[in-house]
Amino acid sequence: MTDAAVLPGSTPRRRWSSLSFPGLNFWLALAVIGLLLVCAVSPQLFATHDPLAIAVRGKLQPPSAGHWFGTDHLGRDVYSRLVYGTQNSLRATSIAVALGLVIGSLIGLVSGTAPQRVDSRIMRVVDVMLAIPNLLLSLAIVTALGFGLVPVAIAVGVGSIGSFARIMRSEVLRVQGATFVEATALLGASKGYVIFRHVLPHAMGPVLALATVEFGAAVLSVSSLSFLGFGAPPPEMEWGLLIAEGRKFINVGWWLILFPSLVIVGTVLTTNHLGRELERRHAGDH
Amino acid sequence: MLAITDVGRPTQPNLLQVADLNFWYDAHQARPETRALKDVGFSLERGAITAIVGESGSGKSTLINAILGLHSSRNHRLDARSLRFDDVDLTALSHRQWREIRGRRIGYIAQDASGSLNPLRRIGSQLEEVLVLHHPTLKRGTARKAALERLTHVGFDDPQRIFDSYPHQLSGGMNQRVAIAAALAGNPQLILADEPTSALDVSVQRQVLDHLTRAIKRSGVSLLLITHDLALAADRADRILVMKSGEIVENGPTRSVLSEPRHEYTKALIAAAPMLTDEVGTATTLSPAASPLLQVRDLSKTYGDRKGAAVSAFAKVSFDLHPRETLCIVGESGSGKTSLVRTLLQLTEADTGSVAFNGYAVGDLKGGDLKRFRRDAQMVYQNPYASLNSRHRISTILREPLAIHDIGTRSEQKEAARSLLSRVGLPESFLTRRPSQLSGGQRQRIAIARALITGPKLLVLDEAVSALDVSAQQAVLELLKELQESLGLTYLFITHNLAVARQFSDRVLVMREGRIVEHGATAQIFTSPQHPYTRQLLEAAPGFEASALVHGHH
Amino acid sequence: MSTRASGQAASARPSRWTFARLRPVLTKKLLQAAFVAWASFTLTFAILYWLPGDPVSIMLGADAQVDPAAFAKIRAQYGFDRPLIIQYADALWRALHLDFGTSLVTGKSVTASIAEAAPVTAQLAFIALALSVILGTTLAVLSLDLPGFPRFGVIFSKIPSIFVAVPTFVVGLLLLQFFAFTLRWVPATGSDSWLTLVLPALTLAIPGAGLLGQVLSNSLHQTYSETFIRLMRSRGYSELRILGHALHNASLPAFTMAGLIVGGTLASSVVTETVFSRQGIGRLMQMGVTNKDINLVCGLIVFSALTYVVINLLVDLLYPLLDPRVEYRA
């Protein structure tokens, strides 16, 4: 909208305020994430049973008032195991995203602000990282580091460095080409001042939006690696691992797979929604 | 003028009849004050050229969309006592019926010439497609022949080459001529042209409009021309309608609208169209002894293009700029004027030649000296939407130059920002706003204030009013003049707009393909241009013909 | 990609696909492809053979109790006692001859193991990709809400985002549970009859369809906001004819993602083939990682990088045929 004739306070302000107050879905999504975080920090608040208590007599019970999500082959409460599993799942995911975000954006920032020769060399290496599918790169790292929650987290994080580097670089280049950046340089500002005061704040928005989307992708990768048996070993609890365990009883206990699946899908959908919302807000920002 | 109408159709006296047309973008918010079009009523004569003049946001495009049934929002609401095209009521048509109207009876030309055609298909195949659509009897070979013929009608001497080209291989003006041919393919009775030349260079603009009017006269089609440029409308139209905030405020034959405008807004528009007025910038009287503030000698710059070949941005540019003077550099896009100012301000380095500012060589400046130069020479950009950091508040934006140069304490900086804000005619309350809450004209005032806050001597204005509406343009130009007098500023003004140059500058420098072709006092350039290119530019400028109508020289 | 849009008001006729024109381009593209292949080998080698410090201890597993003499013997047998750079040069030299050593899991050479498993995955991936394209395109078109059609676009526009949010193993297991165990329409596992292909192909197609649906939906919406579509409407074109034009334009960004989508399909096959017990590349990878078979893992990752490189090479070479604005440029 380039409506130069409108008075201040009419259309532009409406657009601005609509950006400040996103819809109900946005707050709902934030609430879901908050709930998951509380689950991760203190699962005992939500769990109804001891997640490790074995009760062979009550094994493979379908969902009921006593066991909301049913019980597994050892009679353990699936709902409580899911609540406790949140901790491991979110911890691994957070480590992965933090690793990718920090290293990736640093690489992207250096690449975007460096002279063109340095830039093109860095980006060639990043291109190679992108040539290997994330999951396969993660598998290679897991092979090297060994199995477990932290190796899986590191593996997934390293796998996402390429995407972060690429988006940070392209954002830095885009913002550096903006007129207001040249205008600031023309005011006599140094390169460092321009980068940290103008370029980075503008470039950070889309990168953080990507981080939110990558959070969902990391939930998928972590649970996939756990499902394949490369994550934390039982009796540890993790969403993907719960499904892997339930898989052996797939023909008798549909609840063993359905409920953990819904939690994973719900989490990914929520973070993806948040990420897209953030992207939209930044798209209207330029 | 004799209008050729289709025989066999019941003919109404007017081709288009609009009465009490009201339009809302959002049907749920349909209140009288939210109307985008307010009781619009007019009629179009057959075979005539009618122009609707208005600024952006005046509702002229909304009106066109209503006539074409192509609305930009889904839950719009349209009420009209009459919206009638020939024998058809346009308020109650199905999708299928609309398709019978569009292209066959009403043609449409859009502003974005280069985006008007599918970039992936050859011109020929697109033209054939639309011809076969409207004339199903055409066979393969005949469609090709018809397409080539249509291309000659819009002035192509080598239709075969155009036929085989893709849109990106043609210039904007050529694409627009192809779009005109496509709009005429169904032999419509009316053409709606929405700012058809606003995105084109002045000389191309004239050429495209010539071809358009010629093609229209040939087939007896009526034309409804939408434009923001009153001068352009005055040159071409038989009748002018002026729109403002969704209302038609003036409606009459061109001559009477120009000579006896009734509405205040029309008067303001005429006053703001410098080609239509007699006003010519009067040269500041200079004492010949005054040493130049800026001295440019034999400045040249080449760029490497994608293939690695050297392309000259500008070559052998020399001129002097004296204190308190306004020098206008006039040129079309690609003439090298923007590269030139970027080099003058040391944003890029020149290959050869020298720039002296206040006597010292700008090219040798480093570190602190360069920073000092930045205090003295500032720039205002064309697009005020892009030149201000959207995240910062106005107070931060205005204080930033002082912070960079470490001038004054925090409270002194705030005071300076406040006083400069009122200096450019904006209230103090704007200090806490962000650029997105301001209009284009207001943003440009902020940009000017930011450029002036370090107290520079030279201000480079790079197309500084081109992105603004006519009324905002005038207000900003007046502000600049006033600031120049009171602060003793020197302006280097870059523009493609001859009208603005004529009104605003003391001296004019005409650039073409990186070279200065003419250089002289404004009055002299405009009354007796020496170089053929300058003459060509002047004749192509909208309002060149119409100025006679206003001053009654005929 | 070194191909760029050219904005020249060209006097030259549009480019033709002649060998003389193509040769310098082809040489450059092949060199670039070779670089990516080499670099991905180096990266994989670095991760698998350098990162852990001692590959032998990986292979034996952390808990293994081996006396130092036997340990040293294994190191010498695999050549891990040599300097790293020599190991790397040797591995690279052998990799150039498609020799990645012997696999612990299959007992055969890595190359032979991959060659044996590749057709199984190729068959699956091919059907899955075709399904992805059909499903993704349909969803993207239905999300458009074209004038004169029922307005269900909002619903269809949500489906691709759900597709990409569901982990592959969840899709596989839920399909398995419903169609194989509840309805008993298709067998649960195996690789013999074509019926066993249905569920894995569908599983593998879902993430691709989601990704493609999102990309295509975005670019279709963008295309529909362009002036030329509006002008086609103003010329009386039918919506179907306009869709034809728009799909061509909108498919370009999706086309450049072909390498990514095929790579993603290969990665998803690890999970899919594990769920459905099919003896393909993915299953090989899963077994390789489980058994710390670093030779096999290295070979498989280089194989997938090569696939990506070849597909991107094809896309690069075919792209100018789809988009006349892009020219071959060496």
Side-chain angles (χ1 to χ4, degrees), chain C residues 14-97:
Chain C
S15 58
R16 295 258 180 253
W17 224 47
T18 59
F19 186 71
R21 263 187 94 89
L22 212 56
R23 198 164 53 186
V25 185
L26 203 61
T27 317
K28 189 178 177 197
K29 296 269 173 215
L30 280 173
L31 280 176
Q32 279 173 350
F35 168 79
V36 175
W38 165 76
S40 57
F41 170 78
T42 307
L43 182 65
T44 316
F45 186 87
I47 291 172
L48 288 169
Y49 296 83
W50 290 350
L51 191 63
D54 194 348
V56 176
S57 52
I58 294 193
M59 283 153 75
L60 296 175
D63 319 321
Q65 298 292 318
V66 186
D67 72 278
F71 203 86
K73 204 178 144 202
I74 301 174
R75 281 176 62 101
Q77 187 187 333
Y78 283 95
F80 292 140
D81 53 345
R82 296 171 298 169
L84 278 176
I85 189 73
I86 304 285
Q87 286 183 44
Y88 169 70
D90 182 44
L92 182 61
W93 177 250
R94 286 190 292 119
L96 281 176
H97 298 83

Side-chain angles (χ1 to χ4, degrees), chain B residues 75-113:
Chain B
N75 48 354
H76 61 269
R77 179 171 151 198
L78 186 153
D79 291 342
R81 189 154 57 80
S82 161
L83 180 56
R84 181 164 269 288
F85 174 75
D86 204 2
D87 54 333
V88 187
D89 180 5
L90 296 180
T91 55
L93 292 181
S94 68
H95 282 286
R96 187 169 290 274
Q97 286 167 321
W98 267 121
R99 284 198 354 238
E100 293 296 313
I101 299 286
R102 293 182 199 140
R104 262 165 236 234
R105 302 191 64 186
I106 304 179
Y108 172 67
I109 301 163
Q111 171 172 6
D112 176 16

Side-chain angles (χ1 to χ4, degrees), chain A residues 3-6 8-9 12-13 15-16 179-180 182-189 193 197-198 201-202 282 285, chain B residues 56-57 342 347 371 374 378-379 381 385-392 396 400-401 404-405 433 436-437 439 442 450:
Chain A
D3 204 340
V6 284
R13 181 180 292 172
R15 197 197 71 178
W16 181 76
T179 311
F180 72 83
E182 191 187 285
T184 313
L186 197 60
L187 292 173
Y193 175 92
R197 179 108 176 108
H198 290 277
H202 269 263
H282 291 298
D285 201 34
Chain B
S56 60
R342 285 177 52 86
L347 285 168
K371 202 167 165 181
R374 299 254 180 262
Q378 269 302 311
M379 168 139 118
Y381 288 86
Y385 291 85
S387 63
L388 305 175
N389 188 338
S390 55
R391 287 172 175 256
H392 290 178
T396 315
E400 184 170 38
I404 290 170
H405 290 284
R433 296 200 184 181
S436 60
Q437 295 166 278
S439 74
Q442 289 166 342
R450 174 178 63 179

Side-chain angles (χ1 to χ4, degrees), chain B residues 265-551:
Chain B
Y265 181 67
T266 318
K267 287 178 193 160
L269 276 183
I270 292 174
M275 272 320 267
L276 298 177
T277 64
D278 269 338
E279 188 188 336
V280 177
T282 44
T284 318
T285 41
L286 296 165
S287 56
S291 61
L293 179 66
L294 192 70
Q295 206 166 20
V296 181
R297 289 291 173 269
D298 290 330
L299 204 63
S300 303
K301 170 96 188 158
T302 51
Y303 288 108
D305 74 350
R306 291 194 199 105
K307 288 170 184 156
V311 176
S312 170
F314 53 86
K316 298 266 170 206
V317 171
S318 302
F319 64 87
D320 286 347
L321 181 59
H322 295 275
R324 294 170 169 266
E325 181 189 33
T326 301
L327 175 66
C328 240
I329 300 183
V330 173
E332 297 185 281
S333 56
S335 60
K337 52 194 195 315
T338 296
S339 309
L340 177 62
V341 294
R342 285 177 52 86
T343 313
L344 294 180
L345 290 174
Q346 278 292 293
L347 285 168
T348 56
E349 276 178 31
D351 296 340
T352 58
S354 68
V355 181
F357 182 80
N358 240 350
Y360 50 85
V362 171
D364 301 335
L365 295 178
K366 291 274 177 306
D369 293 335
L370 184 61
K371 202 167 165 181
R372 172 73 221 179
F373 167 66
R374 299 254 180 262
R375 270 176 76 169
D376 287 342
Q378 269 302 311
M379 168 139 118
V380 177
Y381 288 86
Q382 170 173 12
N383 186 350
Y385 291 85
S387 63
L388 305 175
N389 188 338
S390 55
R391 287 172 175 256
H392 290 178
R393 291 184 193 285
I394 302 304
S395 61
T396 315
I397 291 173
L398 290 181
R399 270 180 43 219
E400 184 170 38
L402 298 174
I404 290 170
H405 290 284
D406 219 1
I407 303 171
T409 62
R410 212 180 146 80
S411 59
E412 283 167 359
Q413 290 174 0
K414 276 194 175 154
E415 187 44 48
R418 195 171 296 132
S419 79
L420 209 52
L421 196 63
S422 71
R423 198 79 187 69
V424 295
L426 296 176
E428 196 176 300
S429 61
F430 274 40
L431 281 173
T432 53
R433 296 200 184 181
R434 289 176 207 277
S436 60
Q437 295 166 278
L438 270 51
S439 74
Q442 289 166 342
R443 291 184 203 206
Q444 201 60 305
R445 285 166 191 263
I446 299 291
I448 292 169
R450 174 178 63 179
L452 290 179
I453 204 159
T454 53
K457 299 188 177 75
L458 171 68
L459 203 55
V460 176
L461 305 159
D462 187 3
E463 300 272 12
V465 295
S466 305
L468 306 179
D469 273 325
V470 183
S471 50
Q473 209 171 57
Q474 276 309 304
V476 169
L477 284 177
E478 270 159 32
L479 170 70
L480 284 169
K481 269 190 180 166
E482 191 262 317
L483 288 170
Q484 180 173 41
E485 272 162 34
S486 56
L487 301 175
L489 295 167
T490 308
Y491 288 155
L492 185 60
F493 196 100
I494 313 297
T495 186
H496 70 280
N497 188 334
L498 286 171
V500 170
R502 169 167 137 155
Q503 181 195 10
F504 192 68
S505 62
D506 301 317
R507 281 189 301 137
V508 173
L509 205 148
V510 182
M511 270 186 91
R512 184 196 192 187
E513 289 166 2
R515 291 179 186 269
I516 296 177
V517 297
E518 188 156 3
H519 182 179
T522 307
Q524 177 208 327
I525 296 270
F526 279 85
T527 49
S528 56
Q530 299 301 305
H531 196 276
Y533 178 69
T534 315
R535 278 201 289 276
Q536 187 193 326
L537 271 185
L538 277 176
E539 280 162 24
F544 183 75
E545 286 157 23
S547 61
L549 285 178
V550 183
H551 311 308

Side-chain angles (χ1 to χ4, degrees), chain A residues 255-266:
Chain A
W255 56 90
L256 293 177
I257 292 169
L258 186 68
F259 291 112
S261 302
L262 285 180
V263 171
I264 295 178
V265 174

